């Protein structure tokens, strides 16, 4: 509590728990609950993902990745560095 109706929420998590795909989902659900928009839908068990993963054709996946990465001989950036954009401040909600 910072006083005068001001608060600061700091969320920290290891990168194995939250990534660029899941962080917005967690924040959206957190703010929905905070705003009183009912309950969250039930989550699917992680075992569902493991079953799906086990059913995938590994050799087909390996072939697809080999094709996608063909020609790369050394570590390569996924996207080029952007010198025009500095690192931004964390999200601030007022």
């Amino acid at each position: 509590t910072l006083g005068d109706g001001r608060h600061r929420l700091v969320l920290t998590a290891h990168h194995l728990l939250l990534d660029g795909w899941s962080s917005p989902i967690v924040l959206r659900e957190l703010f929905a609950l905070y705003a009183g928009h009912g309950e969250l839908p039930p989550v699917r068990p992680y075992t569902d993902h493991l079953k799906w993963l086990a059913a995938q054709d590994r050799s087909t996946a390996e072939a697809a990745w080999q094709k996608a990465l063909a020609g790369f001989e050394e570590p390569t950036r996924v996207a080029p560095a952007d010198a025009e954009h500095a690192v931004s401040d964390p999200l601030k909600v007022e």
Side-chain angles (χ1 to χ4, degrees), residues 58-78:
R58 184 180 178 107
S59 61
T60 300
E62 287 176 358
W65 279 109
Q66 286 174 351
K67 181 179 177 183
L69 299 173
F72 291 101
E73 301 295 330
E74 58 188 44
T76 305
R77 290 183 179 271
V78 176

Side-chain angles (χ1 to χ4, degrees), residues 5-45:
R6 294 187 50 195
H7 301 79
R8 180 174 293 146
L9 172 66
V10 177
L11 298 174
T12 60
H14 193 277
H15 64 91
L16 287 175
L17 298 177
L18 294 174
D19 59 10
W21 177 83
S22 58
S23 294
I25 294 170
V26 170
L27 291 174
R28 182 175 59 242
E29 291 178 351
L30 175 67
F31 290 131
L33 289 172
Y34 183 76
H37 295 297
E39 296 183 18
L40 298 176
V43 297
R44 292 183 62 180

